[in-house]
Amino acid sequence: MLAVARAVGWSADWETLRSRPTIARIMETTGLSRRTVQRWLRWLERRGLLDVVRPGTTARFSPGILRRGEPNEAREWLLVDPTDTPSGSLDFA
């Protein structure tokens, strides 16, 4: 989890606290599998440590926005201060 959180943090714009690394970039940085990266990102989102600003999309699911052959749009997050999360929200269960 920490490796994924660091990868997102390293990609952040520190003025806006927004970050949008791709899954591929996080996989490259951490050495983790695609599915593991996705699980940890969702874990961070569910616990309020990453707020989704833009959900991201692919041409397959958004043909009106992206065309085949164009790059996918990465998910964008707003980094959240972990000291501002509700008590108990960082449970690893």
Side-chain angles (χ1 to χ4, degrees), residues 4 23 33-43:
V4 172
I23 298 291
S33 71
R34 173 177 295 279
R35 189 66 190 119
T36 299
V37 167
Q38 290 171 330
R39 276 191 207 115
W40 282 123
L41 288 169
R42 295 298 186 257
W43 187 92

Side-chain angles (χ1 to χ4, degrees), residues 38-57:
Q38 290 171 330
R39 276 191 207 115
W40 282 123
L41 288 169
R42 295 298 186 257
W43 187 92
L44 292 164
E45 289 174 6
R46 282 192 308 270
R47 279 149 182 89
L49 296 171
L50 293 176
D51 281 340
V52 177
V53 177
R54 296 179 69 184
T57 191

